[in-house]
Amino acid sequence: MKKIGITCYPTVGGSGVIATELGIRLAEEGHEIHFITSSLPFRLNKVYPNIFYHEVELNHYPVFQYPPYDLALATKMAEVIDREKLDILHVHYAMPHAVCAILARDIAKHEVKIVTTLHGTDITVLGIDNTFQKMIKHGIEQSDAVTAVSADLVRQTEEMLQVNKEIEVIYNFVNENEYYKQHIPELKKQYGIQDEEKVVIHISNFRKVKRLEDVIQTFFKIQSEVQSKLLLIGDGPEYTNAVQLVKKLNIEDEVLFLGKQKNIRDLLSISDLKLLLSEKESFGLVLLEAMACEVPCIATNIGGIPEVVNDGETGYIVELGDTKRAAALGIELLQDPEKLEQFSQNALNRANSYFNSESIVQQYIELYYRVLN
Ligand code: GMT
């Protein structure tokens, strides 16, 4: 049994989900898990006797212009390392979490190993602003082991930072007990969707990089040929623009804005096709969630996406901004029941084999033991 600390942004999309699911799985394997985060990870719904949560508290001292969150986190990490005698501190994101972990390791008396997982956002930040380049590089190089969620993210990190550190690919996974296709035709009815209508779905945090306008334009073309509805799940900065575009295209009756939803499995279970047309995506966890629920995906040839979606087998890969091709492929697939069924099965098989949660959790465990030896 090992004692493992985990730090992530508990409420931020895929990285928070992966960090939490990994913590749960490690706890189920008998390890003792200590989440060191700003709030309770949102997937932590059940009580586990060997999972502990240490909240990073932030007092607002009038003397500081900005509350020093990173220092509060490092202090909390050092405290937990010493008190709980952590073997491993696994942090998600080099900036700020790996940097905080390095500071905590320096402060703590107990020896701990730091494992950092890169999710891509560090690289996105660097693409916009170089200020933090040295900081991120330091966070990576001073970690005892570093993983990234796709081979493309390893390539990008090496290219942008010239890091002197081996970065291992460990893909993301989904909890197969949570993500599987349900037979719930009544849900379609409840949303006012006819039996014969196809359902296209998009799930994201509606950030600009998710290119919501491309999703809507693609669907606009699809619905002109195939009777269908678009489910837009999520919320974020691009929400208003998306609503306006839907109005402008006069497809308000065909597009359902459902906001943030907890039960993604049920919504995927009534969907026939998933669109993810992002301009940046180190992995695209939502694609894997869709595949586990037997939904083929059309996604862009960006970042780690082609490592998740197998072009022409579990869905299609299109170039960024090519909504015409995305729509043509979507129409062809939705109009061909046999092919659609084959793609759905291929998607499920790929999710269960290539991204099998047990084998991925095992890869992390092996890495921990390697680092400790
Ligand atoms: O994409 C986001 O806006 C959220 C971000 C996160 O921190 O969860 O997602 C990143 O990590 C996910 C989990 O590894 C990946 O599936 C996403 O592709 C990645 N996002 C980007 O690279 C833009």
Side-chain angles (χ1 to χ4, degrees), residues 12-15 93 119 172 205 207 210 280-285:
V12 174
S15 61
Y93 284 179
H119 288 271
N172 285 333
N205 50 18
R207 291 199 296 127
K210 305 294 174 182
K280 284 203 165 63
E281 209 68 72
S282 65
F283 184 89
L285 188 61

Side-chain angles (χ1 to χ4, degrees), residues 19-37:
T20 313
E21 286 292 343
L22 179 60
I24 295 170
R25 297 294 284 263
L26 292 168
E28 285 169 355
E29 296 261 337
H31 300 286
E32 189 176 297
I33 303 303
H34 294 267
F35 282 101
I36 310 168
T37 47

Side-chain angles (χ1 to χ4, degrees), residues 58-101:
L58 203 51
N59 293 323
H60 289 266
Y61 305 105
V63 68
F64 296 129
Q65 194 178 355
Y66 305 107
Y69 173 75
D70 303 344
L71 297 181
L73 173 62
T75 308
K76 187 58 118 186
M77 283 170 160
E79 198 184 299
V80 177
I81 292 169
D82 277 340
R83 199 178 57 230
E84 305 295 343
K85 308 265 176 290
L86 294 185
D87 298 297
I88 297 274
L89 179 52
H90 188 168
V91 296
H92 296 261
Y93 284 179
M95 199 192 83
H97 296 154
V99 178
C100 296

Side-chain angles (χ1 to χ4, degrees), residues 9 11-18 92-93 117-124 148-150 153 156 171-172 204-207 209-210 276 278-287 303-305:
Y9 283 123
T11 53
V12 174
S15 61
V17 172
I18 290 297
H92 296 261
Y93 284 179
T117 291
L118 305 174
H119 288 271
T121 318
D122 296 330
I123 296 304
T124 314
V149 296
S150 63
L153 184 55
Q156 272 199 60
Y171 285 125
N172 285 333
S204 75
N205 50 18
F206 285 34
R207 291 199 296 127
V209 289
K210 305 294 174 182
L276 187 72
S278 313
E279 62 188 47
K280 284 203 165 63
E281 209 68 72
S282 65
F283 184 89
L285 188 61
V286 285
L287 295 168
I305 288 178

Side-chain angles (χ1 to χ4, degrees), residues 8 13 27 35 53 85 102 106 110 115 126 139 152 166 178 189 257 278 290 311 320 340 344 371:
C8 61
F35 282 101
Y53 163 56
K85 308 265 176 290
I102 290 157
D106 288 348
H110 178 77
V115 173
L126 274 184
D152 186 79
E166 192 198 330
E178 194 184 328
K189 221 174 257 149
F257 285 88
S278 313
D311 188 31
L320 179 67
L340 190 57
S344 304
V371 164

